[in-house]
Amino acid sequence: MVVRDLRKVADALPGSASRNGLQLISASVGGETGLQAFLSPDRYDVDAVVRLAAACGARILYMDLDHFDANEFDVLFADEEDEPILPTGDGVQGSVPAALRQRADKLLADARRRADALEAVRIAFVVEGVVHEWQLSAARFFA
């Protein structure tokens, strides 16, 4: 399944959970311990995951939404010793070729335009101690 609009998926979750008798809780999904089953977005859409949770007897569905944070987006270049350098700042401008600086400026401007855009929708449910997790992510692409 290919979904281009993650907002539609996120907006559909409350209704789908309610129709299937599940309580939807906003929570961080995942973890490092215990058994986990990852449900592929190629085989399951959001409604199929919700129906599966209901069929397995789950009562709670956990939802976690990731939003793009433009402040965490950095463009780095390497100097002669492969040490990272920022494309802007005092004394650095001259060490980065103009074409790379222009590309970095474009990437950073694109990142700022995408600030707070929905990047990923994760849902999970637990049945008999096994965490079943499904995730759909947007492609990270800046032109």
Side-chain angles (χ1 to χ4, degrees):
M1 176 183 110
V2 178
V3 175
R4 305 256 184 250
D5 190 350
L6 292 175
R7 179 50 52 197
K8 288 180 183 176
V9 172
D11 290 346
L13 269 170
S16 184
S18 179
R19 283 189 304 277
N20 287 279
L22 296 167
Q23 176 69 42
L24 183 63
I25 295 176
S26 180
S28 181
V29 176
E32 298 293 323
T33 62
L35 294 174
Q36 293 181 306
F38 296 99
L39 306 171
S40 170
D42 295 332
R43 299 191 61 190
Y44 296 91
D45 65 11
V46 67
D47 288 324
V49 173
V50 172
R51 286 191 309 271
L52 178 62
C56 290
R59 295 184 0 200
I60 298 174
L61 190 66
Y62 300 96
M63 175 178 72
D64 187 17
L65 304 178
D66 284 344
H67 293 87
F68 182 73
D69 184 355
N71 293 326
E72 293 181 3
F73 186 80
D74 289 324
V75 177
L76 300 175
F77 298 104
D79 63 12
E80 295 81 30
E81 289 84 34
D82 284 335
E83 292 294 319
I85 56 173
L86 291 172
T88 58
D90 294 338
V92 176
Q93 289 286 348
S95 65
V96 177
L100 290 178
R101 281 197 316 270
Q102 289 172 347
R103 179 73 177 144
D105 290 342
K106 182 174 180 353
L107 287 169
L108 291 170
D110 287 346
R112 289 185 193 105
R113 278 193 294 277
R114 290 195 50 191
D116 296 324
L118 188 58
E119 272 198 329
V121 175
R122 278 188 299 281
I123 55 178
F125 60 94
V126 179
V127 175
E128 297 183 14
V130 177
V131 177
H132 298 73
E133 184 178 341
W134 177 88
Q135 176 176 321
L136 188 62
S137 299
R140 289 190 164 205
F141 177 77
F142 296 102

